[in-house]
Amino acid sequence: AQSGELFSKITDGKYKALFTGDDMALSFLSQDNPEPMDSGYLSTGTLDAAYISLRIALCKYLYKETPVLVFDDAFSHMDDERLGNTLEFIQSLGEEFQIVILSCHKREAEYLSTKAKVMNFELQ
């Protein structure tokens, strides 16, 4: 249930719930369809957002001490709007989690430059 709430926040309410079956297959509920649908209908970026939601929900459920959340190129398939929603949501978790974002793209750093501590490292 919590992963669905997180997924809804990341997707601006477009999707309402996430489910995993006994076979660990992922399905979802969208705002437009009352029947659960297979995750194969999601775009790659939206599927990434679903898995991010599941991982955060698992961290909240499994760990007594709050772990550090590390995202390593986790947003590369997201369009700019979904990236903005996701980073805004992840930033809201900053009071609960320490968050590290690693990326070979500049979008994340540009988006967060006025909202979070950003350290840029460039290999030469």
Side-chain angles (χ1 to χ4, degrees):
Q2 188 175 34
S3 62
E5 292 171 22
L6 300 175
F7 189 46
S8 181
K9 287 179 184 178
I10 289 175
T11 61
D12 230 7
K14 184 173 182 181
Y15 301 100
K16 300 189 299 185
L18 282 175
F19 309 101
T20 52
D22 292 338
D23 60 353
M24 297 307 290
L26 184 65
S27 59
F28 66 95
L29 276 181
S30 71
Q31 198 174 35
D32 305 333
N33 190 344
E35 295 295 319
M37 297 179 66
D38 182 81
S39 64
Y41 288 99
L42 297 173
S43 70
T44 305
T46 305
L47 188 57
D48 287 348
Y51 285 124
I52 287 169
S53 302
L54 284 169
R55 287 191 297 259
I56 292 170
L58 279 171
C59 285
K60 288 182 174 199
Y61 180 75
L62 293 175
Y63 293 100
K64 289 183 182 185
E65 291 187 30
T66 307
V68 174
L69 297 180
V70 178
F71 297 93
D72 185 6
D73 259 338
F75 317 113
S76 60
H77 294 109
M78 294 183 183
D79 61 32
D80 290 341
E81 182 179 348
R82 177 92 57 233
L83 174 68
N85 288 342
T86 304
L87 290 176
E88 188 175 310
F89 171 72
I90 288 173
Q91 184 185 1
S92 75
L93 297 173
E95 299 208 8
E96 187 176 353
F97 294 96
Q98 182 177 3
I99 300 165
V100 177
I101 297 174
L102 305 169
S103 179
C104 60
H105 303 281
K106 294 183 180 185
R107 300 187 309 160
E108 293 87 345
E110 289 170 358
Y111 181 87
L112 292 169
S113 65
T114 61
K115 300 172 172 93
K117 183 176 182 180
V118 175
M119 298 172 62
N120 286 312
F121 299 96
E122 291 190 28
L123 298 176
Q124 296 187 12

